[in-house]
Amino acid sequence: IGAMIYSMATEEPTKLDTPSIAERDALQKRESGVSENSPMRLRMEEFIKEQQKEIVAELEKVDGKKFQVDTWTRENGGGGISSVLQDGNVFEKAGVNISIVYGTLPRAAIEKMRVHHKAIDPDIQSLEFFAAGLSMVLHPINPMAPTVHLNYRYFETANTDGTSNAWWFGGGTDLTPSYLFDEDAIHFHKTIKDACDKHDKAYYPRFKKWCDEYFVNKHRGEARGIGGIFFDDLDEQEKDQENTFAFAQSGLKAFLPSYIPIIMKRKDMPYTEKEKQWQQIRRGRYVEFNLVHDRGTAFGLNTPSARVEAILMSLPLTASWRYMFEPEKGSREQRLVDVLREPREWV
Amino acid sequence: IGAMIYSMATEEPTKLDTPSIAERDALQKRESGVSENSPMRLRMEEFIKEQQKEIVAELEKVDGKKFQVDTWTRENGGGGISSVLQDGNVFEKAGVNISIVYGTLPRAAIEKMRVHHKAIDPDIQSLEFFAAGLSMVLHPINPMAPTVHLNYRYFETANTDGTSNAWWFGGGTDLTPSYLFDEDAIHFHKTIKDACDKHDKAYYPRFKKWCDEYFVNKHRGEARGIGGIFFDDLDEQEKDQENTFAFAQSGLKAFLPSYIPIIMKRKDMPYTEKEKQWQQIRRGRYVEFNLVHDRGTAFGLNTPSARVEAILMSLPLTASWRYMFEPEKGSREQRLVDVLREPREWV
């Protein structure tokens, strides 16, 4: 999903008489910094940068190894920071990436967006846009410790005079265990639900369902994991920008309390070679979802000159496909599969 | 690609007043066996069954372990035999599968087929069809030994009176090394070229190019492997059925001489942990092609009640994704990547 924002900017921005939003934003940052009165673009950028630092720092404490940080800039404004930890003590592979994209949307993309965002002019030929997001996938070594995925993003289109046109937030987080500990599932869902409830009591049930429906390996009739929340296209038709930003902030800030207690409990648990193999098979399912069903990944990979390594950072370091593997009846492995076939209510 | 034939039969055959081709074929086999005068359906079925036995027997000699054989039948005629060897001495995973499908094509599939096969009635609402194919993927343990893929298939549609309507052959084979030995590439291509040349001197160059264009990880700008041949829709517009069957037979029979000398030379070569890791990364690319770009796999996985395990038998037992991995300049790993970026003429 996060891949969308890396790869949307396939066309170079059209040269306009008025300054582009990238130019405006650069100027404003230089002259007056970022405050509560700044455009949402700059506030979201600042927020995800802070969050990336905080999350990376916490994960380094958990792992004991440092992330490799790659910073890249885009020619026409924006850029990103990829933080990846590979072959750690706790994490097999952990990626926490942010990206800021200024670009121009082609006609086909505009038409798709109008389905959800009527503020976009139907007759316009091309459209300046801004996207900022934080994407994270953590694959722990220990099969008792679950994989987690998170993505929060902000999208905006600009009028030809450079003022803001349509905007929306999207995001979510979900947990993918190889061995299911009910207490972990409950803790994860409860932490997210609490973050949602502060803003709208309807959010958690609605976005939990959306998550259960989206992260499914349809060809196997099973969910990728035990869910969490997922939402997209949250715009002014629901709530004002300030409230929606506050919700996205709560969601992203809930990550550390939702996951750190789980990883601390599981990272040093004993496990057998057989349990490690089961984890590898579940990793294979993760790859299947991301490569076969995830819209963002597909979109990204089909975009010329996409940053393939950033898009595929979500894949595990190792995975396995074992022909006709069937868990034993009544086993813990079978119990996980049963839950993946029929999503539960955890809180 | 082989997945197509597993999954085409999504609709139950319509009950007709005349016997279905499945019923006719079953009757004929019972009453008079299969001879050169039998319908092509029965001859192709017999041919791929023989070939599967012969190939499995040879591969068991190479590996020293036995294949696991699963036989399945379809309710309305047809069935298959999956032969899989996993955790062998030489092969990490080796699958040699055949399938025979009798079914009815829905309207949408008929329209797609008419693009290539004008013999199909444009106004027909549904169409009985037959498909038979042999699919094989071998993933050796030793990183010096290449992965090989092969698929040969025959397709036929029936008139409402049960007589044969359109027919065509498709197939090919291609080699995917992690470490490139020019002599292996030359031997593989030369053996296939010889098989092609016996039938039509234009086949090898034409089908080699088709292969180079099809097996490409477009998102990475590199071929899956060093190619071979690939063809589809070979029908009466090219040559008669007898000649085309003879060509498909030569192609499939060329497999053992094309691959056995290579695996014998490479299976016991010494290798380092680093070389094994490179193989795992190349395996990851194999997974990417099969899950992201292969039309047969996508089609299969998106078909309700597909035999997922048979379709995904092509995936390696183990694979790896290492963030931003770059081979050293001038290394053997880099040389492979260079060749994958620009396909060579090997003979």
Side-chain angles (χ1 to χ4, degrees):
Chain A
I1 297 171
M4 293 280 296
I5 54 178
Y6 292 111
S7 45
M8 280 254 173
T10 56
E11 299 194 352
E12 294 305 307
T14 317
K15 277 289 156 220
L16 302 165
D17 296 334
T18 51
S20 69
I21 50 175
E23 287 159 349
R24 281 165 196 255
D25 285 355
L27 182 71
Q28 179 159 6
K29 264 197 278 188
R30 256 197 327 272
E31 289 187 346
S32 37
V34 180
S35 74
E36 277 183 25
N37 302 318
S38 301
M40 185 55 73
R41 298 184 296 277
L42 298 180
R43 293 169 67 194
M44 182 68 174
E45 176 179 342
E46 192 173 68
F47 174 65
I48 59 176
K49 278 185 175 161
E50 276 168 22
Q51 284 296 305
Q52 185 189 33
K53 270 190 198 153
E54 194 178 326
I55 290 168
V56 163
E58 284 303 310
L59 295 175
E60 286 181 343
K61 274 190 226 162
V62 170
D63 192 275
K65 283 200 188 172
K66 294 282 172 194
F67 277 72
Q68 172 192 335
V69 179
D70 298 304
T71 302
W72 43 280
T73 54
R74 296 175 54 89
E75 214 183 308
N76 300 293
I81 306 171
S82 299
S83 302
V84 177
L85 193 163
Q86 211 163 240
D87 293 317
N89 297 307
V90 173
F91 297 106
E92 184 182 272
K93 195 167 171 189
V96 189
N97 294 355
I98 63 161
S99 65
I100 313 293
V101 176
Y102 291 88
T104 306
L105 288 174
R107 190 92 194 93
I110 297 169
E111 270 167 36
K112 275 189 196 162
M113 278 182 187
R114 276 211 78 240
V115 176
H116 295 286
H117 307 284
K118 299 299 176 200
I120 296 171
D121 182 348
D123 298 323
I124 206 158
Q125 278 308 311
S126 79
L127 192 61
E128 258 196 289
F129 79 96
F130 168 88
L134 184 151
S135 292
M136 164 164 55
V137 180
L138 312 180
H139 293 290
I141 294 167
N142 194 309
M144 302 300 148
T147 288
V148 69
H149 160 252
L150 173 145
N151 174 279
Y152 281 88
R153 56 195 180 273
Y154 173 73
F155 210 94
E156 197 180 298
T157 60
N159 295 310
T160 44
D161 66 358
T163 57
S164 163
N165 172 250
W167 61 265
W168 63 95
F169 287 89
T173 180
D174 63 287
L175 200 70
T176 305
S178 297
Y179 287 92
L180 178 57
F181 295 88
D182 285 21
E183 59 185 282
D184 294 354
I186 292 165
H187 170 79
F188 185 77
H189 275 270
K190 191 174 179 321
T191 311
I192 299 166
K193 181 176 184 296
D194 288 348
C196 291
D197 284 355
K198 279 194 283 179
H199 300 273
D200 189 326
K201 295 271 183 197
Y203 278 172
Y204 174 78
R206 185 174 148 208
F207 300 157
K208 194 263 184 197
K209 187 163 174 275
W210 200 338
C211 185
D212 284 340
E213 286 165 358
Y214 181 73
F215 292 101
V216 177
N217 265 326
K218 289 167 206 77
H219 60 285
R220 296 197 183 264
E222 66 180 39
R224 183 174 78 172
I226 56 132
I229 56 166
F230 177 73
F231 64 94
D232 206 354
D233 299 309
L234 270 199
D235 64 9
E236 81 288 338
Q237 292 174 351
E238 296 243 6
K239 286 204 170 58
D240 65 33
Q241 203 179 38
E242 211 53 54
N243 272 299
T244 311
F245 182 44
F247 164 61
Q249 286 178 299
S250 294
L252 185 39
K253 283 180 185 166
F255 168 70
L256 288 172
S258 76
Y259 187 70
I260 297 293
I262 296 174
I263 188 73
M264 292 309 285
K265 229 187 268 183
R266 306 300 164 207
K267 72 185 175 62
D268 300 316
M269 282 183 79
Y271 60 87
T272 66
E273 186 51 38
K274 228 181 123 188
E275 286 162 343
K276 185 70 188 171
Q277 271 191 22
W278 172 246
Q279 180 204 49
Q280 293 298 297
I281 289 171
R282 300 312 309 171
R283 293 267 202 270
R285 303 287 195 272
Y286 208 86
V287 172
E288 287 175 27
F289 178 81
N290 288 20
L291 295 185
V292 177
H293 299 291
D294 189 52
R295 285 186 292 246
T297 305
F299 185 91
L301 294 183
N302 286 313
T303 301
S305 80
R307 293 193 78 238
V308 172
E309 285 298 318
I311 296 167
L312 296 185
M313 148 218 110
S314 65
L315 301 183
L317 186 62
T318 54
S320 176
W321 283 268
R322 200 160 272 279
Y323 178 67
M324 297 278 263
F325 185 89
E326 291 285 344
E328 279 168 46
K329 267 193 186 159
S331 65
R332 293 185 67 194
E333 291 82 4
Q334 185 58 54
R335 182 164 179 260
L336 175 74
V337 174
D338 292 344
V339 171
L340 298 181
R341 291 209 175 124
E342 209 152 333
R344 297 262 172 101
E345 293 306 320
W346 294 102
V347 282
Chain B
I1 295 170
M4 292 281 296
I5 53 177
Y6 292 111
S7 45
M8 280 256 174
T10 56
E11 300 195 350
E12 295 305 307
T14 317
K15 278 289 157 221
L16 301 165
D17 296 334
T18 51
S20 70
I21 50 176
E23 286 160 347
R24 281 166 197 254
D25 286 354
L27 182 71
Q28 179 158 6
K29 264 197 277 190
R30 253 194 333 268
E31 289 188 345
S32 38
V34 180
S35 74
E36 276 182 26
N37 302 318
S38 301
M40 185 55 73
R41 297 184 297 277
L42 296 181
R43 293 169 67 194
M44 182 67 174
E45 176 180 342
E46 192 173 67
F47 174 65
I48 59 176
K49 277 184 175 162
E50 276 168 21
Q51 284 296 305
Q52 185 190 33
K53 270 190 198 154
E54 194 179 325
I55 290 168
V56 163
E58 284 303 310
L59 294 176
E60 285 180 343
K61 276 190 226 162
V62 170
D63 193 275
K65 282 201 188 172
K66 294 282 173 196
F67 277 72
Q68 173 192 335
V69 179
D70 298 304
T71 301
W72 43 280
T73 53
R74 295 175 56 88
E75 215 182 309
N76 299 294
I81 306 170
S82 299
S83 302
V84 176
L85 193 162
Q86 209 163 241
D87 293 318
N89 297 308
V90 172
F91 297 106
E92 184 181 274
K93 194 168 171 189
V96 188
N97 294 353
I98 63 162
S99 65
I100 314 292
V101 176
Y102 291 89
T104 305
L105 288 175
R107 191 88 195 95
I110 296 169
E111 269 167 36
K112 275 189 197 162
M113 278 181 187
R114 275 210 79 240
V115 176
H116 294 289
H117 306 285
K118 298 301 176 197
I120 297 171
D121 182 347
D123 298 323
I124 207 158
Q125 278 308 311
S126 79
L127 192 60
E128 259 197 289
F129 80 95
F130 168 87
L134 184 152
S135 292
M136 165 164 53
V137 180
L138 312 180
H139 293 291
I141 294 166
N142 195 308
M144 302 300 148
T147 287
V148 69
H149 160 251
L150 173 144
N151 175 278
Y152 280 88
R153 57 195 180 274
Y154 173 72
F155 209 94
E156 196 180 298
T157 59
N159 295 310
T160 44
D161 65 0
T163 58
S164 162
N165 174 248
W167 60 265
W168 63 96
F169 287 90
T173 180
D174 63 286
L175 201 69
T176 305
S178 297
Y179 286 92
L180 177 57
F181 294 88
D182 284 20
E183 59 186 282
D184 294 355
I186 292 165
H187 171 79
F188 186 77
H189 275 269
K190 191 174 180 323
T191 311
I192 299 166
K193 182 176 183 296
D194 289 347
C196 291
D197 284 355
K198 279 194 282 178
H199 299 274
D200 189 326
K201 294 272 182 197
Y203 278 171
Y204 174 77
R206 184 173 149 209
F207 300 155
K208 194 262 184 198
K209 186 163 175 276
W210 200 338
C211 186
D212 285 340
E213 286 165 358
Y214 181 73
F215 291 100
V216 176
N217 265 325
K218 290 167 206 77
H219 61 284
R220 295 197 182 263
E222 65 181 39
R224 183 174 78 172
I226 56 133
I229 56 167
F230 177 72
F231 63 94
D232 206 355
D233 299 309
L234 269 198
D235 64 10
E236 80 288 337
Q237 291 174 353
E238 296 244 5
K239 285 204 171 58
D240 65 33
Q241 203 181 37
E242 211 53 54
N243 272 300
T244 311
F245 181 44
F247 164 62
Q249 286 177 300
S250 294
L252 184 39
K253 282 180 184 166
F255 168 70
L256 288 172
S258 77
Y259 187 71
I260 297 293
I262 297 174
I263 188 73
M264 291 310 285
K265 230 188 267 183
R266 307 299 164 208
K267 71 186 176 64
D268 299 317
M269 282 183 78
Y271 61 87
T272 65
E273 186 50 40
K274 230 180 122 188
E275 286 163 343
K276 186 71 189 171
Q277 271 192 22
W278 172 245
Q279 180 205 48
Q280 293 299 297
I281 289 170
R282 299 313 309 172
R283 293 266 202 271
R285 303 288 196 271
Y286 209 86
V287 172
E288 287 176 25
F289 177 82
N290 288 19
L291 295 186
V292 177
H293 299 291
D294 189 53
R295 285 186 293 246
T297 305
F299 186 91
L301 294 183
N302 286 312
T303 300
S305 80
R307 294 193 76 238
V308 172
E309 285 299 318
I311 296 166
L312 297 185
M313 149 217 111
S314 66
L315 300 183
L317 187 61
T318 55
S320 176
W321 283 268
R322 199 160 273 279
Y323 178 67
M324 297 279 263
F325 184 87
E326 291 286 343
E328 280 170 45
K329 266 193 187 161
S331 65
R332 294 184 66 193
E333 292 81 4
Q334 185 57 54
R335 179 161 181 262
L336 174 75
V337 174
D338 292 344
V339 170
L340 298 181
R341 290 207 176 125
E342 208 152 334
R344 296 263 173 102
E345 293 306 321
W346 294 101
V347 283

